[in-house]
């Protein structure tokens, strides 16, 4: 867009994603503030606060917006360095994770992006137990003294660009350090990987939300998400408004809308919760759920087969702006499952889906495989 056509107050959303994204971007983004990821420390964030780098929304450029320190930018931006050195940012991930890849996103940063970046990792579960005051009290000397391990070597960056970095590393990570050379701004850092649940969940039979994003649940497909992404269904907090759920366009042809969710772990379901919070004139008439145990099937194959999965929950009437809970008496599968298909009839929106149950043990899954359920 020509600078001459820009109007003060205009908001421009980034539109620079490549047509094909790396496969790892389908995994959980554990650098998402909605899941609890935190920007703990930055050597400098003079121009743009460090917390913005974890915003899940697409970066924007606000024409003519300035604050006391200069041009307002949607990301993390440091001042111009006048001496040797580099800046860095420490991020606490939402959950301990095996990282599969990164997206270092410099959207809207054109004359002020870093020339290169590197990333270090840290496994420090004890820090996850510390409160906000203790964490923010750590200074540069404290962070420099941690046992950081190199995760990504020096990588050249471009302006207004997504730098995707695939990672082959089996280590579980709780924190990462983004190093930028020598200074500048990064709009977003997305950290994709497989969330690692505590082994005790299996041993103690604790009930968890098997579909929850914090437990590794992911929305892998939907036939429509015109007004809201299916991934919103799995967020841990109550939706603040209607825009924070999954909503389809108004259906003008026969059929129904659906989405497919991969559970974080194979599990046995005890109850299901469908929340239509904020959906009042546009909630579905009915909701049903199908399920399957298919741990090693490619996602595209799952999509084509999903219409034939067994029924977990028969079609149930829904109400506006309400929480609907369905217990064991309504569920038709008592064996481990790995995926669910949520069907809404005929269209509309729902806010959250909770799939409460227990992580399946090896004994559970061996029985399931034998019976072919």
């Amino acid at each position: 867009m020509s600078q001459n056509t820009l109007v003060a107050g205009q908001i421009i959303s980034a539109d620079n994603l490549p047509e094909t994204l790396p496969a790892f971007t389908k995994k959980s983004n554990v650098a998402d503030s909605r899941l609890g990821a935190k920007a703990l420390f930055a050597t400098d964030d003079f121009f743009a606060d460090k917390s913005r780098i974890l915003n899940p929304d697409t970066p924007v450029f606000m024409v003519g917006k300035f604050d006391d320190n200069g041009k307002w930018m949607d990301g993390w931006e440091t001042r111009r360095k006048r001496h040797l050195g580099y800046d860095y940012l420490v991020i606490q991930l939402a959950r301990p994770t095996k990282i599969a890849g990164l997206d270092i996103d410099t959207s809207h940063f054109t004359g002020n992006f870093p020339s290169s970046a590197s990333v270090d990792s840290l496994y420090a579960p004890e820090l996850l137990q510390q409160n906000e005051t203790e964490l923010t009290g750590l200074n540069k000397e404290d962070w420099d003294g941690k046992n950081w391990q190199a995760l990504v070597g020096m990588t050249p960056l471009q302006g207004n660009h997504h730098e995707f970095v695939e990672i082959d590393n089996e280590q579980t990570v709780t924190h990462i350090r983004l190093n930028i050379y020598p200074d500048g701004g990064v709009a977003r850092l997305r950290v994709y990987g497989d969330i690692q649940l505590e082994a005790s969940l299996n041993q103690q039979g604790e009930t968890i939300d098997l579909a929850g994003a914090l437990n590794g649940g992911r929305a892998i497909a939907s036939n429509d998400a015109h007004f809201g992404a299916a991934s919103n269904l799995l967020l841990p907090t109550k939706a603040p408004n209607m825009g924070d759920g999954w909503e389809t366009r108004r259906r003008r042809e026969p059929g129904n809308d659906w989405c497919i969710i991969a559970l974080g772990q194979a599990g046995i379901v005890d109850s299901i919760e469908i929340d239509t919070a904020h959906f009042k004139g546009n909630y579905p008439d009915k909701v049903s759920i199908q399920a399957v145990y298919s741990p090693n099937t490619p996602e595209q194959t799952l999509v084509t087969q999903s219409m034939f999965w067994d029924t977990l929950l028969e079609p149930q009437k829904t109400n506006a702006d309400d929480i609907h809970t369905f217990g064991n008496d309504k569920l038709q599968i008592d064996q481990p499952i790995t995926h669910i298909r949520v069907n809404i009839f005929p269209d509309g929106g729902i806010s959250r889906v909770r799939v409460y149950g227990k992580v399946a043990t090896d004994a559970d899954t061996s029985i399931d495989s034998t019976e072919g359920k």
Side-chain angles (χ1 to χ4, degrees), residues 332-349:
Q332 300 191 18
I333 299 175
D334 59 3
Q335 299 296 321
I337 62 171
T338 56
H339 299 77
I340 62 170
R341 170 173 158 143
V342 180
N343 302 297
I344 57 175
F345 301 91
D347 56 24

Side-chain angles (χ1 to χ4, degrees), residues 53-180:
I53 202 171
L54 304 179
N55 188 336
D57 298 331
T58 301
V60 298
F61 183 82
M62 305 185 72
V63 180
K65 181 175 181 177
F66 291 83
D67 58 26
D68 289 342
N69 289 342
K71 179 70 183 75
W72 186 94
M73 294 296 290
D74 191 6
W76 166 52
E77 185 182 3
T78 71
R79 73 191 83 197
R80 300 189 187 212
K81 195 168 290 297
R82 301 309 188 195
H83 52 79
L84 287 175
Y86 61 93
D87 288 316
Y88 70 72
L89 169 63
V90 175
I91 294 170
Q92 180 167 289
L93 303 179
R95 282 285 192 269
T97 301
K98 289 184 179 179
I99 299 175
L102 307 173
D103 175 11
I104 305 174
D105 178 3
T106 57
S107 292
H108 302 300
F109 287 90
T110 54
N112 51 350
F113 62 94
S115 59
S116 59
S118 67
V119 179
D120 300 318
S121 66
L122 176 69
Y123 180 66
E126 68 278 4
L127 292 177
L128 303 180
Q129 310 305 317
Q130 295 191 2
N131 60 39
E132 201 75 21
T133 302
E134 292 171 322
L135 291 171
T136 55
L138 298 175
N139 57 30
K140 185 176 186 298
E141 184 176 349
D142 295 324
W143 289 113
D144 286 346
K146 301 293 182 185
N147 186 30
W148 296 100
Q149 304 295 316
L151 186 67
V152 176
M154 191 80 74
T155 302
L157 300 181
Q158 303 174 50
N160 196 41
H161 179 76
H162 291 262
E163 186 65 38
F164 293 103
V165 184
E166 187 170 2
I167 294 172
D168 183 14
N169 190 318
E170 286 298 307
Q171 297 299 312
T172 298
V173 173
T174 58
H175 298 73
I176 62 168
R177 181 171 65 183
L178 173 64
N179 310 298
I180 58 172

Side-chain angles (χ1 to χ4, degrees), residues 239-262:
N241 53 55
M242 194 174 69
D244 199 47
W246 170 50
E247 185 182 1
T248 68
R249 62 178 174 82
R250 298 188 185 215
R251 176 171 281 274
R252 303 306 191 197
E253 63 278 334
N256 69 279
D257 294 324
W258 52 266
C259 70
I260 296 175
I261 295 167

Side-chain angles (χ1 to χ4, degrees), residues 164-364:
F164 293 103
V165 184
E166 187 170 2
I167 294 172
D168 183 14
N169 190 318
E170 286 298 307
Q171 297 299 312
T172 298
V173 173
T174 58
H175 298 73
I176 62 168
R177 181 171 65 183
L178 173 64
N179 310 298
I180 58 172
Y181 304 90
D183 53 38
V186 176
R188 301 286 188 269
L189 178 67
R190 303 176 183 93
V191 180
Y192 298 99
D194 298 311
I195 290 174
Q196 303 300 297
L197 296 183
E198 295 180 20
S200 61
L201 291 177
N202 297 39
Q203 299 163 359
Q204 298 175 7
E206 182 179 340
T207 297
I208 64 171
D209 179 6
L210 296 164
L214 280 176
N215 293 323
R218 298 179 296 113
I220 61 175
S222 65
N223 73 305
D224 186 85
H226 188 85
F227 294 110
S231 58
N232 290 336
L233 296 173
L234 314 181
L235 295 174
T237 55
K238 185 79 173 178
N241 53 55
M242 194 174 69
D244 199 47
W246 170 50
E247 185 182 1
T248 68
R249 62 178 174 82
R250 298 188 185 215
R251 176 171 281 274
R252 303 306 191 197
E253 63 278 334
N256 69 279
D257 294 324
W258 52 266
C259 70
I260 296 175
I261 295 167
L263 305 184
Q265 302 284 328
I268 300 174
V269 182
D270 295 325
S271 66
I272 290 174
E273 182 179 288
I274 305 292
D275 188 352
T276 57
H278 308 294
F279 289 95
K280 299 175 182 178
N282 51 352
Y283 62 96
D285 178 54
K286 294 180 180 179
V287 174
S288 75
I289 296 180
Q290 296 166 266
V292 72
Y293 178 77
S294 189
N296 300 310
T297 305
E299 290 183 357
Q300 191 53 48
T301 302
L302 286 167
V303 172
T304 58
Q305 292 179 345
S306 65
M307 68 184 77
F308 306 113
W309 292 353
D310 290 338
T311 297
L312 175 60
L313 179 69
E314 292 279 6
Q316 305 289 326
K317 288 286 290 184
T318 57
N319 304 312
D321 193 26
D322 197 9
I323 296 177
H324 312 75
T325 301
F326 308 102
N328 264 321
D329 59 322
K330 294 286 187 180
L331 304 182
Q332 300 191 18
I333 299 175
D334 59 3
Q335 299 296 321
I337 62 171
T338 56
H339 299 77
I340 62 170
R341 170 173 158 143
V342 180
N343 302 297
I344 57 175
F345 301 91
D347 56 24
I350 54 180
S351 169
R352 297 288 187 264
V353 172
R354 310 292 187 204
V355 181
Y356 294 111
K358 300 175 178 63
V359 175
T361 64
D362 291 341
D364 292 329

